[in-house]
Amino acid sequence: MGLGRGKGAKGVSNMTVKPTVEKAEIVALEKAAAWVPPKKLRPADKELLYKMEANGEMFCVTDPSKPDHPIVYASPKFLEFTGYAAKEIEGINCRFLQGEETEPEDVADIRTALKTTEDTSVFLYNYKKDGSGFYNQFFMTPMRKQPLLPFLTPKVAYFIGVQTECVSKEDKNSVQNQCKILRESQHQRAVLA
């Protein structure tokens, strides 16, 4: 069994989320963003995306409406850390990060979450462009389109996968993925509202 959620574990649906900040702060974050997605996102998803970038997190955004779920944006931290240039990876699937020591169970958890449009968190071993490996606490969540009417179900626009580097396997439970923490707060606010 892999080091992630484990076989048979369920992800969390993020259908109901609420921003943790006011609209004005989301607008300010968007103005400072290096990439603004062409699809209109829900406010909570805009907050998530722009806060990850503002905090200098390592992440990629993929588009499930395109064949093979390609990367449409990679954060500067991701590019710097992995050694890839944006032009090398945009338009291709993230599986190029996998290698011999990447646990198949963890990859299966990610695939399941993509199919079910649920959040997932796994402990991964990935590879940089130079072939060196790294451990990371990986969290992936769908970002949904802003529905035209409030009673409509929001459709998935993108997925964001955020990697928090870990020095070793022992870091697995001590390293906190900021995207996961924010998404959990957004879900909690929606449930309590």
Side-chain angles (χ1 to χ4, degrees):
M1 184 169 358
L3 299 169
R5 290 184 296 140
K7 205 170 195 173
K10 298 263 184 201
V12 174
S13 172
N14 76 352
M15 192 65 71
T16 307
V17 290
K18 189 174 181 180
T20 63
V21 298
E22 297 299 319
K23 183 178 179 178
E25 188 172 336
I26 295 170
V27 169
L29 286 165
E30 185 173 38
K31 286 181 180 177
W35 180 72
V36 176
K39 298 175 189 175
K40 187 173 180 182
L41 300 177
R42 299 178 297 178
D45 294 321
K46 285 182 179 183
E47 175 193 19
L48 189 88
L49 173 63
Y50 300 141
K51 276 193 172 180
M52 292 305 102
E53 186 170 69
N55 293 344
E57 299 291 336
M58 180 168 45
F59 67 91
C60 287
V61 176
T62 64
D63 188 340
S65 71
K66 296 183 178 181
D68 205 27
H69 229 290
I71 295 170
V72 292
Y73 178 73
S75 71
K77 172 75 177 202
F78 177 90
L79 298 172
E80 175 189 336
F81 183 80
T82 63
Y84 288 97
K87 66 182 178 185
E88 292 178 285
I89 62 170
E90 287 176 1
I92 64 172
N93 186 285
C94 296
R95 72 177 66 87
F96 65 88
L97 294 167
Q98 298 171 21
E100 189 175 303
E101 292 186 48
T102 305
E103 294 283 347
E105 293 91 347
D106 295 333
V107 175
D109 278 350
I110 294 168
R111 283 193 189 117
T112 298
L114 289 169
K115 287 178 187 168
T116 60
T117 66
E118 295 177 330
D119 296 349
T120 192
S121 183
V122 295
F123 186 72
L124 283 174
Y125 193 77
N126 285 143
Y127 294 85
K128 299 178 184 183
K129 183 178 180 177
D130 67 9
S132 61
F134 65 99
Y135 290 104
N136 68 96
Q137 197 59 267
F138 177 77
F139 178 73
M140 184 185 71
T141 186
M143 295 189 295
R144 299 177 186 276
K145 294 178 186 176
Q146 176 67 42
L148 297 174
L149 300 170
F151 58 84
L152 295 176
T153 302
K155 303 278 188 214
V156 174
Y158 305 101
F159 281 86
I160 184 170
V162 180
Q163 298 170 298
T164 304
E165 182 189 12
C166 300
V167 176
S168 67
K169 287 182 184 179
E170 289 72 35
D171 282 350
K172 177 183 175 185
N173 295 318
S174 62
V175 172
Q176 297 294 315
N177 186 300
Q178 295 305 307
C179 186
K180 181 178 181 183
I181 292 168
L182 178 56
R183 183 55 99 196
E184 287 170 351
S185 296
Q186 290 176 336
H187 181 69
Q188 191 70 14
R189 283 180 57 94
V191 170
L192 297 175

